[in-house]
Amino acid sequence: MGQKVDALVNHKNCLEIKEMVLEPECKELGLANRQLAEAYVAVMDFKEALPYGLKALQIHRDQLGDSSVEVVRDRRLLEVIYTGLEEYQRALEQNQLSLRVLNKWGPYVELLRAELDAANLQIALGNFDVAINFLKNIFLQTERESKTRALAFIAYGNALCNQEKISNSKKCLERARGILDKKESAMPIEVAEAYMKIARVYETMNEFEAAVTMLKRTLAIIEKFPQVQHLEGRASARLGLLLMGTGKVPQAILYLEKAVELLKESFGSKHLGVGYIYYKLGAANLELERTESASQMFAIAKEIMVSSKADAFENCEDLSKVYDGMGNPIPY
């Protein structure tokens, strides 16, 4: 239903009950800790997710050993959590430990996704040549029209963009789009998420019109799926911010207003990301000399900031980068 904050409350209650009735350190308690960590990740609260992810890993290592499926799943989740906390080196450490086990099991799609995530982490650390070597290996192992290959092209384009090889970067993004366009009807949500990644790279290279186009394509797909309203909210917010940055303020306000309603429904009305969008709505209204509306938006933003005990909104704009860069962390 897309109501992630309500799911989080129920996961908390579930863990409390299991801690009362189950044997300490049993496997099921490990699973409950991981599920609560995943619920915190879903609302982008990585700091709160971390202790539960670590607890799940500890229980599963003690009960099942380092080479178990559950331990790999825990490490893949911790990889996402550390990425969300911008602790990229720790995320990479978890990735490498997962890869050791996955390599023993033989080639399959989750191994390739882990290698792709390793490449994205290397990009985040600024190790672009290392990332490109990872990606070249992925290209050798994937089919020409596979989704993983498309995601690898996006990551390759991102690495090249960061090296200021803009022309080659654009070619990679075009290759990715060529693959994804054919899969839109078969896997719409996954394709929409990939389009958002492409938009992010276009934005990095200051190709704002191309980024706007990709975000509009994203919204056209996912507005039909209420279970991913958080994704629709993020895409609307990103689009609103882009339009605002390019001087199209009236259009930007429409997307920002839509984003704030969707994100409130998904993450709760006091989420810091919601406060950031209110802050930007205040700035947009102020630019249009709508002083009363601007004051209302700034007041709401301040209230959320105070309730969240946040000093500023500087990091809020980067929240969506976590999911833009990473795929589904759990190898089901």
Side-chain angles (χ1 to χ4, degrees):
M1 295 170 64
Q3 297 176 1
K4 296 184 177 297
V5 70
D6 293 331
L8 175 60
V9 171
N10 284 287
H11 278 298
K12 283 183 182 178
N13 294 336
C14 181
L15 178 59
E16 289 176 4
I17 293 168
K18 288 185 176 182
E19 285 176 333
M20 289 188 289
V21 301
L22 295 175
E23 291 292 326
E25 308 300 307
C26 71
K27 176 185 173 183
E28 190 171 349
L29 205 55
L31 294 174
N33 274 276
R34 186 171 72 213
Q35 287 166 352
L36 181 52
E38 289 171 349
Y40 273 117
V41 167
V43 297
M44 297 185 181
D45 193 341
F46 304 103
K47 185 177 179 181
E48 289 293 333
L50 182 58
Y52 296 105
L54 290 171
K55 181 65 174 178
L57 176 63
Q58 176 191 331
I59 292 173
H60 289 143
R61 288 184 70 192
D62 291 345
Q63 295 294 319
L64 305 170
D66 279 328
S67 297
S68 70
V69 173
E70 302 304 338
V71 166
V72 171
R73 290 175 174 175
D74 294 336
R75 292 197 186 283
R76 296 287 279 139
L77 177 60
L78 284 167
E79 181 184 339
V80 174
I81 292 169
Y82 282 126
T83 301
L85 294 170
E86 297 188 4
E87 296 184 26
Y88 300 119
Q89 192 59 52
R90 287 190 174 184
L92 188 60
E93 289 169 6
Q94 295 297 327
N95 175 275
Q96 297 304 300
L97 290 168
S98 299
L99 277 172
R100 287 182 192 174
V101 180
L102 292 170
N103 274 308
K104 293 177 184 177
W105 295 348
Y108 75 121
V109 66
E110 184 55 31
L111 173 59
L112 292 175
R113 290 304 301 273
E115 291 179 348
L116 179 58
D117 289 342
N120 281 312
L121 286 168
Q122 294 289 0
I123 292 169
L125 289 165
N127 302 326
F128 305 121
D129 290 332
V130 175
I132 287 171
N133 286 332
F134 267 107
L135 293 167
K136 286 179 177 177
N137 183 54
I138 292 170
F139 289 132
L140 293 174
Q141 300 178 68
T142 51
E143 298 178 2
R144 293 183 64 84
E145 299 297 319
S146 71
K147 184 192 74 172
T148 303
R149 192 178 184 86
L151 294 174
F153 271 121
I154 297 171
Y156 205 160
N158 190 21
L160 293 170
C161 175
N162 279 280
Q163 292 179 318
E164 299 185 359
K165 299 176 181 177
I166 302 302
S167 177
N168 288 335
S169 175
K170 287 181 180 179
K171 289 178 183 177
C172 288
L173 298 182
E174 289 167 5
R175 293 283 294 276
R177 288 175 62 177
I179 296 171
L180 294 167
D181 290 349
K182 299 172 186 175
K183 298 185 178 297
E184 195 172 298
S185 58
M187 47 179 68
I189 294 172
E190 291 169 286
V191 168
E193 290 176 326
Y195 285 161
M196 287 185 69
K197 293 181 174 71
I198 293 173
R200 175 67 70 177
V201 182
Y202 277 131
E203 186 179 348
T204 301
M205 64 176 72
N206 296 325
E207 291 285 344
F208 298 124
E209 288 302 320
V212 165
T213 298
M214 296 311 303
L215 288 170
K216 286 183 175 179
R217 287 191 68 178
T218 298
L219 288 171
I221 296 170
I222 58 179
E223 62 187 5
K224 306 165 189 172
F225 300 96
Q227 69 268 33
V228 289
Q229 63 180 5
H230 65 288
L231 189 62
E232 184 181 359
R234 281 175 36 220
S236 294
R238 193 77 246 151
L239 183 51
L241 293 171
L242 272 174
L243 291 169
M244 188 175 169
T246 54
K248 299 174 182 177
V249 180
Q251 294 179 47
I253 287 175
L254 295 175
Y255 284 105
L256 291 173
E257 288 176 341
K258 182 177 183 180
V260 83
E261 293 306 316
L262 290 167
L263 294 176
K264 277 164 53 178
E265 186 73 19
S266 295
F267 300 150
S269 60
K270 299 301 181 182
H271 192 276
L272 192 57
V274 172
Y276 179 76
I277 302 304
Y278 272 120
Y279 175 77
K280 285 297 186 180
L281 274 168
N285 278 286
L286 193 62
E287 193 168 331
L288 295 178
E289 299 183 352
R290 301 173 182 172
T291 53
E292 185 175 346
S293 293
S295 297
Q296 291 174 352
M297 297 299 104
F298 285 136
I300 296 171
K302 182 179 179 181
E303 182 184 347
I304 294 171
M305 183 176 71
V306 170
S307 68
S308 301
K309 298 179 182 178
D311 296 323
F313 289 122
E314 283 88 348
N315 294 325
C316 297
E317 195 168 6
D318 295 327
L319 284 173
S320 63
K321 289 182 182 178
V322 178
Y323 290 142
D324 288 347
M326 304 293 290
N328 178 5
I330 311 303
Y332 292 121

